[in-house]
Amino acid sequence: MEFFDFGTIFFLVAAVVIFFQLRNVLGRRTGSERPPFDPYSASRKPAKDDAEASDNVVALPRKRAPGEPAADAYADIDAFAKPDTDLNKGLRAIKDNDASFEPKGFVDGAKMAYEMIVMAYADGDRKTLKNLLSREVFDGFVAAISEREAKSEKIQSSFVGIDKADIVSAEMKGSEAHITLRIVSELISATRDKAGAVIDGDPETVAEVKDVWTFARDTRSRDPNWKLVATEEED
């Protein structure tokens, strides 16, 4: 029998010690170890079964097509005008062509426009009128202003307020929406001649004015502003 020399025995003992040290440090495979880290799949979550996945699905509302009103889009119109009336049908037709249209908001805007137009006409403010009137109505207002200026006449006017503003009709004419309002306002107005004498109206009396004005807007236009297209003074 051959004997190992001292050097051989030393290396064998060293190898056994290193083996047991590595085993203690690294451990043994048991079948339950985590898989190696994959940097390309680490950000992906493990797939779940269909039942569990469906619990985390949030159904998004269907996106409406351009110009398509919501299911309850007519609620404000029905509250404003009695259903099945001509006025209600006309307002609904406008809503169908302009999903942002709201009758109450329109009336509020029309009242502001009314005051601006009345005061701009009295002051001869053509620039303001041009932005608020259709071409035909603007030409008529400018002609009256020019005639007044030619005679050196001036209108002294104070706007008191609007007592009532009601939509009396609404309709679509092609792509144009037309809405007519009956407006009852209070105004102090007097026209003075070149010498300053009052030739029309009364600078001390509040007068009730009744107007029937029609506003229009092309629903295909990006311009959201309505313009005055017709005026009529009610007796």
Side-chain angles (χ1 to χ4, degrees), residues 77-78 80-92 168 170:
I77 292 176
D78 292 343
F80 189 89
K82 188 176 180 180
D84 296 325
T85 61
D86 289 340
L87 177 57
N88 184 280
K89 293 176 182 178
L91 293 174
R92 282 183 173 229
V168 295

Side-chain angles (χ1 to χ4, degrees), residues 5 7 9 14 16 24-25 31 81 128-129 134 136 160 163 174 180 185:
D5 58 20
I9 295 174
V16 171
N24 291 333
V25 173
T128 297
L129 292 174
S134 68
E136 294 76 11
V160 178
D163 292 334
T180 300
S185 64

